Amino acid sequence: MLIIAPCLAKEAPDEPVLIRSSSELIQSGFGDFYVGGEINPIAAEWKAAADGGARVIYLAALKEIDAEKASELEQSAIDTAVANGSSLVEAQAKFKEVLTGSTETARIRRRFIYFYELLMNDLMDFTVDHVVVKGATLEDEVSNLDAAFFPEIRNIEDFPHIDGMITSSYVLESEPLEYPVVIEVDTTDALILNVGGVNVELKLPAKTYDGVSSTTADLVSDLSDAIDAHASGIRVGVREDNGRIVLYFEEKVTVASGTNANLGFKVGATATWKKTNLGLIHKGSFAQTIADYCSTKTLMKSAAIGYIGVKSPVDTKVSTIRKYADNLLQLDTEISPYLQVVGSEVGVILPVTNSVHYINGATHYAALVSTLRKQSAPTNKAISGVKAIRFDYSLRQLSRLTAKKIVTFRLKDSTQLVVTDGVTTAPSISIAGQTRDSDYARLSTLRITQLAIQVVRDAVDPFIGEANEMPKYNALNTAIKSALESIHEAGAIQGYKFTIANVSSQLDEATVVLEIVPAFELRKVEVQVSLAPSDDYLQSLGL
């Protein structure tokens, strides 16, 4: 497993290093458990992984880009904006001190750029099964990013639609329009939006949209022109969707009174935040980056799973934890099957002082998963190496957090800390207005699928370079069947079916179409109890 975490040692390595003992922490440049009187985060995470049972542990320091590089990237963004038509004043207003500033936001932005380049560039050829990110949490998102900040990243010309970026908007959707939509000559009540307490009035030209010569598409075009011409400079994306007008905003807006009812927007309707490729809000996310990295690595035949935590509560009062759990339920956890979010904390005993240091449990959890067979879910498994906990969730909170796709730990028999449920952040699926969990909502299902893919790859590997003809297909069929039978007998899958096809347009390729039935984990046992009278009582009744 690979742990990416902050390091207090100034000369920490820039690349992953295999650490097998605490003495190698210092020898490799990561420093001791205490540096300058402070707990060294990366050393504490290494101890957590070792205590948790991880056998092979790589460490990589989570740093920030240095001041010189920050200045260069910032200036590059300004120069690019000017070249694209912005004035120097506008470009400087947008990017000046975005990276070089001394604020916490600028610091996180420098850290995100370093983290992004580390994963999506330097570590793309590094093979690892489990990746834990510390020093950043699910909540950490970075705004004001620009393509100029990522000069070495592949496909950067697609920015902001690249890995690691979350695109969203506040979306406002009208009712289906009923023709004719009439905008009168003397009207002053087209579309009025309340933005941050200020009304923005968008006037449309006097026109009748009859659905034939003038359609919803024309209305959308005219509304877009009205937005572009408005003095407020408000940014709104306008689209048509099945006879509806859909508006995309950078902030929450409400439809104000005076809006033309024919436009289909109800007065008082408020835009809701949604992830959408058509959105206007673009933010870099540590969680999305690690998820996309693991997804890419899996496609590159190196299956990987990512882990990230959440921010810690300010204290452990009952009222604080209740509010803390409620806040976690508001987070966006529709991310990726390749990412798990951990919402529990654990204590680590640090050497020398023997003091307890509390950290998010993502490292302990990843260490546990790394020791399990693919078909064995982490659900109800004991977390090794935990010396103490700061707080415990109630059963109600555990249930709600699990439904929110957050991994938690619970005390079993008041003595043992176990995983509540091994859930991933795979986005739910909506079909015909109904929402259901993804097929990969369970970690065990994902890992079994990865295992099946890997054994098939291993089975077909000896045939690469051989003649692409039917006799070889018979042997290939036997090899694949034997590989799948092996994991079937091991209990990883309940059944399988596959076919091999020769793609006629590609004479040097063959396609294996595989269907599997994974071994579903036992998650609940219902105990039904009834009372019966004793034998003595029955005998006294002559029964």
Side-chain angles (χ1 to χ4, degrees):
M1 65 183 292
L2 168 65
I3 302 172
I4 305 174
C7 181
L8 297 184
K10 294 181 180 180
E11 303 301 325
D14 293 325
E15 297 184 354
V17 179
L18 176 62
I19 303 297
R20 290 159 293 195
S21 65
S22 57
S23 62
E24 291 184 353
L25 286 168
I26 301 174
Q27 296 170 9
S28 300
F30 290 112
D32 208 341
F33 288 94
Y34 292 88
V35 176
E38 295 183 47
I39 295 173
N40 190 4
I42 200 167
E45 296 298 337
W46 177 86
K47 183 69 162 54
D51 290 349
R55 300 178 182 89
V56 180
I57 308 169
Y58 285 89
L59 297 183
L62 179 57
K63 304 180 183 180
E64 301 174 16
I65 56 172
D66 58 36
E68 181 179 356
K69 184 169 183 177
S71 180
E72 290 176 356
L73 295 178
E74 193 176 273
Q75 188 59 49
S76 177
I78 293 173
D79 293 342
T80 301
V82 171
N84 290 335
S86 298
S87 69
L88 179 61
V89 173
E90 291 172 335
Q92 288 180 333
K94 183 175 182 180
F95 294 114
K96 193 67 175 176
E97 295 191 350
V98 164
L99 296 182
T100 58
S102 57
T103 64
E104 179 67 12
T105 301
R107 186 189 68 81
I108 294 178
R109 197 174 285 118
R110 292 193 296 269
R111 176 171 287 188
F112 178 76
I113 293 173
Y114 180 92
F115 173 73
Y116 196 98
E117 290 187 348
L118 176 67
L119 283 179
M120 296 302 186
N121 194 18
D122 298 343
L123 299 187
M124 195 51 71
D125 295 317
F126 180 72
T127 301
V128 64
D129 296 332
H130 307 273
V131 186
V132 182
V133 180
K134 288 300 185 76
T137 65
L138 173 66
E139 298 95 324
D140 289 325
E141 293 183 347
V142 184
S143 59
N144 281 21
L145 294 174
D146 188 81
F149 297 161
F150 307 94
E152 299 178 2
I153 301 302
R154 303 176 183 88
N155 303 322
I156 196 59
E157 64 274 6
D158 296 329
F159 185 90
H161 302 287
I162 60 173
D163 290 342
M165 296 290 291
I166 295 176
T167 301
S168 63
S169 257
Y170 288 95
V171 182
L172 186 64
E173 186 173 312
S174 74
E175 297 294 323
L177 296 183
E178 295 184 5
Y179 294 113
V181 177
V182 180
I183 305 297
E184 298 178 356
V185 175
D186 58 350
T187 187
T188 57
D189 62 349
L191 176 59
I192 305 175
L193 304 171
N194 186 278
V195 184
V198 178
N199 282 357
V200 175
E201 187 174 300
L202 304 171
K203 294 183 180 180
L204 290 166
K207 196 171 183 179
T208 297
Y209 302 89
D210 57 11
V212 180
S213 59
S214 295
T215 64
T216 307
D218 298 308
L219 176 55
V220 164
S221 178
D222 291 340
L223 183 56
S224 183
D225 291 340
I227 292 168
D228 292 340
H230 199 273
S232 67
I234 183 174
R235 287 191 65 208
V236 186
V238 189
R239 297 286 187 278
E240 176 197 7
D241 184 15
N242 293 324
R244 302 171 186 260
I245 300 174
V246 185
L247 304 178
Y248 302 84
F249 303 92
E250 293 179 305
E251 55 186 312
K252 186 178 290 187
V253 304
T254 303
V255 179
S257 59
T259 292
N260 190 327
N262 290 342
L263 294 174
F265 293 103
K266 294 182 179 179
V267 173
T270 301
T272 56
W273 182 87
K274 294 181 181 179
K275 282 184 180 178
T276 168
N277 290 332
L278 301 174
L280 304 180
I281 306 169
H282 309 289
K283 292 184 178 181
S285 164
F286 288 88
Q288 190 67 55
T289 300
I290 194 66
D292 290 340
Y293 172 79
C294 292
S295 174
T296 301
K297 292 296 293 180
T298 299
L299 292 175
M300 294 172 63
K301 305 180 183 180
S302 177
I305 299 170
Y307 308 81
I308 196 169
V310 295
K311 293 187 183 300
S312 298
V314 293
D315 58 53
T316 57
K317 297 177 183 177
V318 173
S319 58
T320 301
I321 299 303
R322 182 176 66 250
K323 184 177 180 180
Y324 175 70
D326 289 342
N327 289 338
L328 291 181
L329 296 174
Q330 305 306 312
L331 298 177
D332 172 34
T333 53
E334 300 281 317
I335 302 172
S336 168
Y338 299 98
L339 179 74
Q340 295 195 272
V341 173
V342 178
S344 290
E345 290 189 358
V346 292
V348 177
I349 298 291
L350 296 180
V352 183
T353 62
N354 288 326
S355 59
V356 179
H357 174 58
Y358 291 98
I359 60 176
N360 177 272
T363 301
H364 277 85
Y365 177 68
L368 167 66
V369 175
S370 72
T371 65
L372 299 176
R373 295 176 302 158
K374 302 287 187 181
Q375 63 268 34
S376 182
T379 303
N380 204 41
K381 301 295 191 303
I383 302 290
S384 301
V386 176
K387 305 304 179 184
I389 59 173
R390 282 207 306 161
F391 64 90
D392 193 20
Y393 294 113
S394 69
L395 290 178
R396 183 179 71 90
Q397 290 168 336
L398 290 171
S399 178
R400 296 174 70 193
L401 290 171
T402 298
K404 189 62 179 178
K405 304 179 181 180
I406 296 177
V407 175
T408 55
F409 308 151
R410 63 183 177 86
L411 276 176
K412 186 177 182 180
D413 300 327
S414 301
T415 58
Q416 192 177 50
L417 196 67
V418 300
V419 178
T420 307
D421 205 344
V423 290
T424 74
T425 57
S428 299
I429 300 171
S430 295
I431 301 176
Q434 300 294 320
T435 301
R436 70 170 182 85
D437 285 341
S438 163
D439 292 336
Y440 299 103
R442 317 228 60 75
L443 177 63
S444 56
T445 303
L446 174 66
R447 298 186 75 207
I448 288 170
T449 302
Q450 290 176 331
L451 173 63
I453 293 171
Q454 188 58 51
V455 297
V456 171
R457 282 174 173 162
D458 292 342
V460 303
D461 183 71
F463 295 88
I464 301 297
E466 298 299 320
N468 188 16
E469 54 188 17
M470 189 54 64
K472 288 295 181 182
Y473 275 38
N474 294 333
L476 180 59
N477 183 86
T478 301
I480 295 174
K481 184 176 182 179
S482 176
L484 292 173
E485 274 297 323
S486 67
I487 62 174
H488 178 247
E489 292 174 0
I493 60 176
Q494 297 182 33
Y496 63 88
K497 181 172 65 175
F498 70 93
T499 58
I500 305 173
N502 187 348
V503 182
S504 58
S505 61
Q506 298 289 335
L507 299 180
D508 59 347
E509 291 185 11
T511 301
V512 178
V513 181
L514 173 64
E515 296 179 23
I516 63 169
V517 180
F520 299 103
E521 61 187 87
L522 180 63
R523 300 182 57 233
K524 181 170 66 174
V525 175
E526 180 179 342
V527 179
Q528 298 182 349
V529 179
S530 60
L531 300 178
S534 67
D535 291 342
D536 292 341
Y537 177 72
L538 292 174
Q539 290 176 0
S540 69
L541 297 177
L543 299 177

